[in-house]
Amino acid sequence: MTKPGQEPSSEDTASGGTDVTALPGGARAALEAVLMVLDQPASATDLAAGLNLTVAAVEELLLELQREYDGYTVKAPDMEIASNAGFTSSPRGFELRNVAGGWRIYSRAEFADVVGAFVLEGQTARLTQAALETLAVIAYRQPVSRARVSAIRGVNVDSVVRTLTQRGLIEDSGTDPESGAVLYCTTSYFLERMGIGSVAELPQLSPHLPGLEGIEEFYDAGRM
Amino acid sequence: MTKPGQEPSSEDTASGGTDVTALPGGARAALEAVLMVLDQPASATDLAAGLNLTVAAVEELLLELQREYDGYTVKAPDMEIASNAGFTSSPRGFELRNVAGGWRIYSRAEFADVVGAFVLEGQTARLTQAALETLAVIAYRQPVSRARVSAIRGVNVDSVVRTLTQRGLIEDSGTDPESGAVLYCTTSYFLERMGIGSVAELPQLSPHLPGLEGIEEFYDAGRM
Amino acid sequence: MSAESATPLAQRGQRTDEDDGGAPPEAGGAPDAKKPGFEVRLANFTGPFDLLLGLISKHQLDITEVALATVTDEFIKYIRNLQKLGEEWALDEASEFLVIAATLLDLKAARLLPAGEVEDDDDIALLEARDLLFARLLQYKAFKQVAALLDATLELEARRYPRQVALEEHFAAMLPELVWKHTPQQFAALAETALKPRIPAPTEVGLAHLHGSPVSVKEQAELIGLRLQQGRPLSFRALIADAESTLVVVARFLALLELFRDQVVAFNQLAPLGDLTVRWTAPGAEWSSDHLTEEYEEQP
């Protein structure tokens, strides 16, 4: 499924003329229908374009659905009875999450054991300690060359980097203009797997570096 | 995503001991969680087995969910207020269908236009270079797991394999008895497009190219 | 934290090639990792810093100079054990251990000496080496901790399964008809390209931080070779006397390691921190630096 690039106002698509609000369940249900066929996170902008709605409207609907799936008060035009009664339903078996810059439906973590029995694939092999450390260095120092990662870890990281690339967690992101070394970055799949929107949401590194606030400058000064 | 083959009584599964009714949202939410991520329709028997519930209970829940998604009276233990009030919600954007003995969640038919437009946007008639190369690897090394194709190509091929499957060029041809990974083969549609009668008619490759024996599996369970 | 980090340290060193089967991916990974040697055994800890941190925590010490001096002997013993077990060390992996072992020995030796003031350049160099080791060790420790956080998050997140179902048939049927222009021959050519083993990107040695400096280990090895082949043993101090920068010193040191590996030089050191004397042991000028190129040239 790819992201539509057109503006919400464009009329040259099949949905150009569809007024989703007129359909049963309205825009909310239409959005839900689209969420059902996604195989990767879709941004509010892409969803808005596909639905002929404004981004703001879609964002509001997304948050509404998210809350609803989580079991908070239902809020929708024709559900006022329930809403007014302050009625709270139990959480659904799935949730709507905003990860890696897009929205996507996930089964709820509580049901992992049950769901796991049905989903043979998607079972993820655990990363080794070496792979985790390498991934951590790349995540915090990206874009970064293998040489720099090995300098930090104290060992050669070539084969670990290869594994992480094959797993789609990191990718080649060009070369260093000075040294010509290949630089690596984390991928959006990494963000998805971490359940975060961007690398800026990774836990801070500095609290783990007690009394060494200046260490980054020290290394960047070319000493290491 | 495949259906578990075990009987309801078997206890050797991960979910063997899980009492789904004790989880938030109970058995209904657990069933929903499974349905949301199921790729292939699953029978009530299979669902009951995975959920440690009786077939009758699962059938009842399935009908309940189906009605609920369609917008009829909500009926669930903690939704009695709404239920008693004869409250009817608007239909959801998805529906639960029983097709050929199996249950699966689909996007609601009424939204086919919107969903179709969203799906088709950006789709091209051409395969990307990455897709072509992946197809070539699968054609010459079939049956082969995604993990091995990734190892040969050096990158994650999950989404490309999805595209090729969607395009009907490759298909799932069982699982590797050792790793449990899904193995892929080319389809008769592929042969048709190539204009050949069988894969044996593909031109020979130079004998010195590595086969699969030199390729290490970087995955334990097959897929990352 | 994986199960392997829970393995008692004492057992770690005894794990040998039998690990091949169950070794973590990167250990048994690429075909070239099949070489029997250091890397396989490294699977049990993830490098010299990991080992050092493991030893320090075993003694319930904080990372201090004292801790480093305390665990130095164990660190060295550990490397010796590996050496006994192993056939050959992969130089780029072993050299890190050696560099750190050397620094640790220096630190320990310095602590044994009467507390004195900084007197000469050597003392300053020692202090710098100590600070650098501390800094690197602490930095590594920080990354090790966030790696544990990543592991926990990844594990937690893996409990959520994304909805990722095949496209409903009626939508799949709407996809534009595939344009297919490849003949079987063209397709075969494509397969040839895709299946051809990709030339692995050159193995880097951690010199990228040196900002593309023109210093080459190969050249330095040749230079050292020429000097030593005069016949007279020279001290390392003498060998680096004309080095115009730290980088050249490092390159010469690495070059010496290479020469030692090729068994064309021998080292002699009479006392801790004493002069390191290097002697040419190969008959004549048989040795050639040609093979050094692949290992140290970093330019693509």
Side-chain angles (χ1 to χ4, degrees), chain B residues 10-205:
Chain B
S10 85
E11 280 173 23
D12 54 352
T13 70
S15 66
T18 313
D19 179 10
V20 291
T21 55
L23 295 168
R28 199 180 60 114
L31 177 60
E32 219 176 31
V34 171
L35 290 171
M36 257 310 157
V37 297
L38 266 190
D39 192 9
Q40 302 292 328
S43 70
T45 316
D46 285 341
L47 291 167
L51 290 161
N52 254 350
L53 295 169
T54 66
V55 176
V58 167
E59 277 171 348
E60 194 181 320
L61 286 170
L62 284 166
L63 290 173
E64 217 172 78
L65 285 174
Q66 191 177 40
R67 282 175 55 80
E68 188 188 336
Y69 297 163
D70 289 349
Y72 292 101
T73 311
V74 178
K75 189 182 158 236
D78 54 353
M79 290 180 109
E80 268 169 38
I81 319 154
S83 177
N84 291 344
F87 155 66
T88 305
S89 64
S90 57
R92 305 223 70 104
F94 47 88
E95 56 190 342
L96 181 57
R97 275 190 245 155
N98 183 359
V99 184
W103 295 81
R104 200 198 117 163
I105 289 179
Y106 295 91
S107 66
R108 187 168 291 282
E110 284 89 333
F111 299 103
D113 288 349
V114 188
V115 174
F118 188 86
V119 168
L120 290 182
E121 183 60 42
Q123 291 284 352
T124 59
R126 239 170 251 283
L127 290 177
T128 60
Q129 185 67 18
L132 276 169
E133 284 181 14
T134 304
L135 179 60
V137 170
I138 294 172
Y140 277 92
R141 292 291 180 260
Q142 58 187 310
V144 65
S145 70
R146 270 188 300 209
R148 286 188 184 256
V149 181
S150 275
I152 293 170
R153 304 249 311 112
V155 290
N156 182 293
V157 295
D158 288 1
S159 83
V160 173
V161 163
R162 268 203 307 276
T163 306
L164 293 171
T165 311
Q166 212 171 77
R167 285 309 201 147
L169 291 163
I170 58 168
E171 64 192 353
D172 181 331
S173 74
T175 52
D176 184 305
E178 256 179 74
S179 67
V182 176
L183 299 175
Y184 291 87
C185 278
T186 52
T187 61
S188 54
Y189 174 68
F190 165 76
L191 296 176
E192 202 183 297
R193 295 314 305 260
M194 284 297 285
I196 55 176
S198 80
V199 284
E201 289 174 40
L202 283 171
Q204 290 275 310
L205 299 183

Side-chain angles (χ1 to χ4, degrees), chain A residues 95 104 133 146 151 162 224, chain C residues 30 136 160 164 204 209:
Chain A
E95 57 187 337
R104 193 174 184 184
E133 286 175 14
R146 280 177 302 177
R162 207 155 46 226
M224 263 300 309
Chain C
R136 292 186 67 188
R160 299 179 157 110
Q164 185 162 292
E204 302 162 275
H209 51 284

